[in-house]
PDB file of all heavy atoms in Angstrom:
ATOM      1  N   ASP A 704     132.865 105.168 229.143  1.00  0.00           N
ATOM      2  CA  ASP A 704     131.492 105.558 228.855  1.00  0.00           C
ATOM      3  C   ASP A 704     130.444 104.652 229.469  1.00  0.00           C
ATOM      4  O   ASP A 704     129.311 105.051 229.650  1.00  0.00           O
ATOM      5  CB  ASP A 704     131.275 105.591 227.332  1.00  0.00           C
ATOM      6  CG  ASP A 704     132.077 106.699 226.673  1.00  0.00           C
ATOM      7  OD1 ASP A 704     132.457 107.639 227.380  1.00  0.00           O
ATOM      8  OD2 ASP A 704     132.324 106.605 225.467  1.00  0.00           O
ATOM      9  N   TYR A 705     130.800 103.396 229.752  1.00  0.00           N
ATOM     10  CA  TYR A 705     129.783 102.428 230.147  1.00  0.00           C
ATOM     11  C   TYR A 705     130.064 101.837 231.521  1.00  0.00           C
ATOM     12  O   TYR A 705     129.740 100.700 231.778  1.00  0.00           O
ATOM     13  CB  TYR A 705     129.684 101.326 229.082  1.00  0.00           C
ATOM     14  CG  TYR A 705     128.744 101.715 227.968  1.00  0.00           C
ATOM     15  CD1 TYR A 705     129.079 102.753 227.112  1.00  0.00           C
ATOM     16  CD2 TYR A 705     127.518 101.105 227.797  1.00  0.00           C
ATOM     17  CE1 TYR A 705     128.224 103.144 226.103  1.00  0.00           C
ATOM     18  CE2 TYR A 705     126.651 101.491 226.801  1.00  0.00           C
ATOM     19  CZ  TYR A 705     127.012 102.508 225.955  1.00  0.00           C
ATOM     20  OH  TYR A 705     126.159 102.894 224.957  1.00  0.00           O
ATOM     21  N   ASN A 706     130.701 102.612 232.376  1.00  0.00           N
ATOM     22  CA  ASN A 706     130.819 102.195 233.755  1.00  0.00           C
ATOM     23  C   ASN A 706     129.412 102.016 234.306  1.00  0.00           C
ATOM     24  O   ASN A 706     128.595 102.922 234.225  1.00  0.00           O
ATOM     25  CB  ASN A 706     131.563 103.265 234.554  1.00  0.00           C
ATOM     26  CG  ASN A 706     131.640 102.910 236.022  1.00  0.00           C
ATOM     27  OD1 ASN A 706     130.705 103.167 236.760  1.00  0.00           O
ATOM     28  ND2 ASN A 706     132.745 102.324 236.427  1.00  0.00           N
ATOM     29  N   PRO A 707     129.087 100.861 234.845  1.00  0.00           N
ATOM     30  CA  PRO A 707     127.697 100.601 235.246  1.00  0.00           C
ATOM     31  C   PRO A 707     127.113 101.674 236.156  1.00  0.00           C
ATOM     32  O   PRO A 707     126.005 102.136 235.929  1.00  0.00           O
ATOM     33  CB  PRO A 707     127.811  99.249 235.966  1.00  0.00           C
ATOM     34  CG  PRO A 707     128.983  98.587 235.333  1.00  0.00           C
ATOM     35  CD  PRO A 707     129.949  99.689 235.026  1.00  0.00           C
ATOM     36  N   THR A 708     127.852 102.074 237.180  1.00  0.00           N
ATOM     37  CA  THR A 708     127.323 103.071 238.094  1.00  0.00           C
ATOM     38  C   THR A 708     127.051 104.391 237.374  1.00  0.00           C
ATOM     39  O   THR A 708     125.999 105.000 237.545  1.00  0.00           O
ATOM     40  CB  THR A 708     128.301 103.313 239.252  1.00  0.00           C
ATOM     41  OG1 THR A 708     128.524 102.081 239.938  1.00  0.00           O
ATOM     42  CG2 THR A 708     127.742 104.324 240.228  1.00  0.00           C
ATOM     43  N   THR A 709     127.966 104.801 236.539  1.00  0.00           N
ATOM     44  CA  THR A 709     127.828 106.080 235.847  1.00  0.00           C
ATOM     45  C   THR A 709     126.625 106.089 234.913  1.00  0.00           C
ATOM     46  O   THR A 709     125.788 107.001 234.965  1.00  0.00           O
ATOM     47  CB  THR A 709     129.102 106.394 235.048  1.00  0.00           C
ATOM     48  OG1 THR A 709     130.211 106.446 235.940  1.00  0.00           O
ATOM     49  CG2 THR A 709     128.960 107.733 234.334  1.00  0.00           C
ATOM     50  N   ILE A 710     126.525 105.113 234.035  1.00  0.00           N
ATOM     51  CA  ILE A 710     125.449 105.120 233.044  1.00  0.00           C
ATOM     52  C   ILE A 710     124.082 104.954 233.702  1.00  0.00           C
ATOM     53  O   ILE A 710     123.099 105.565 233.285  1.00  0.00           O
ATOM     54  CB  ILE A 710     125.683 104.026 231.966  1.00  0.00           C
ATOM     55  CG1 ILE A 710     124.739 104.225 230.770  1.00  0.00           C
ATOM     56  CG2 ILE A 710     125.507 102.631 232.543  1.00  0.00           C
ATOM     57  CD1 ILE A 710     125.019 105.461 229.968  1.00  0.00           C
ATOM     58  N   GLN A 711     124.007 104.164 234.761  1.00  0.00           N
ATOM     59  CA  GLN A 711     122.724 103.980 235.422  1.00  0.00           C
ATOM     60  C   GLN A 711     122.305 105.223 236.202  1.00  0.00           C
ATOM     61  O   GLN A 711     121.136 105.618 236.184  1.00  0.00           O
ATOM     62  CB  GLN A 711     122.778 102.750 236.322  1.00  0.00           C
ATOM     63  CG  GLN A 711     122.880 101.455 235.524  1.00  0.00           C
ATOM     64  CD  GLN A 711     122.950 100.220 236.389  1.00  0.00           C
ATOM     65  OE1 GLN A 711     123.317 100.286 237.559  1.00  0.00           O
ATOM     66  NE2 GLN A 711     122.611  99.093 235.819  1.00  0.00           N
ATOM     67  N   LEU A 712     123.263 105.861 236.866  1.00  0.00           N
ATOM     68  CA  LEU A 712     122.930 107.082 237.587  1.00  0.00           C
ATOM     69  C   LEU A 712     122.537 108.202 236.628  1.00  0.00           C
ATOM     70  O   LEU A 712     121.654 109.007 236.924  1.00  0.00           O
ATOM     71  CB  LEU A 712     124.109 107.516 238.454  1.00  0.00           C
ATOM     72  CG  LEU A 712     124.378 106.656 239.695  1.00  0.00           C
ATOM     73  CD1 LEU A 712     125.584 107.168 240.448  1.00  0.00           C
ATOM     74  CD2 LEU A 712     123.159 106.625 240.604  1.00  0.00           C
ATOM     75  N   LYS A 713     123.190 108.254 235.457  1.00  0.00           N
ATOM     76  CA  LYS A 713     122.804 109.247 234.451  1.00  0.00           C
ATOM     77  C   LYS A 713     121.359 109.030 234.010  1.00  0.00           C
ATOM     78  O   LYS A 713     120.595 109.991 233.833  1.00  0.00           O
ATOM     79  CB  LYS A 713     123.738 109.153 233.246  1.00  0.00           C
ATOM     80  CG  LYS A 713     125.108 109.779 233.457  1.00  0.00           C
ATOM     81  CD  LYS A 713     125.939 109.668 232.190  1.00  0.00           C
ATOM     82  CE  LYS A 713     127.309 110.317 232.379  1.00  0.00           C
ATOM     83  NZ  LYS A 713     128.136 110.177 231.145  1.00  0.00           N
ATOM     84  N   ALA A 714     120.984 107.763 233.809  1.00  0.00           N
ATOM     85  CA  ALA A 714     119.615 107.463 233.387  1.00  0.00           C
ATOM     86  C   ALA A 714     118.609 107.848 234.466  1.00  0.00           C
ATOM     87  O   ALA A 714     117.554 108.432 234.179  1.00  0.00           O
ATOM     88  CB  ALA A 714     119.487 105.980 233.048  1.00  0.00           C
ATOM     89  N   ILE A 715     118.925 107.525 235.714  1.00  0.00           N
ATOM     90  CA  ILE A 715     118.026 107.881 236.814  1.00  0.00           C
ATOM     91  C   ILE A 715     117.832 109.392 236.877  1.00  0.00           C
ATOM     92  O   ILE A 715     116.705 109.893 236.970  1.00  0.00           O
ATOM     93  CB  ILE A 715     118.576 107.348 238.148  1.00  0.00           C
ATOM     94  CG1 ILE A 715     118.523 105.813 238.161  1.00  0.00           C
ATOM     95  CG2 ILE A 715     117.783 107.913 239.325  1.00  0.00           C
ATOM     96  CD1 ILE A 715     119.237 105.192 239.338  1.00  0.00           C
TER      97      ILE A 715
END
Side-chain angles (χ1 to χ4, degrees):
D704 293 339
Y705 274 68
N706 177 277
T708 301
T709 301
I710 192 67
Q711 291 179 338
L712 288 179
K713 283 182 179 179
I715 292 171

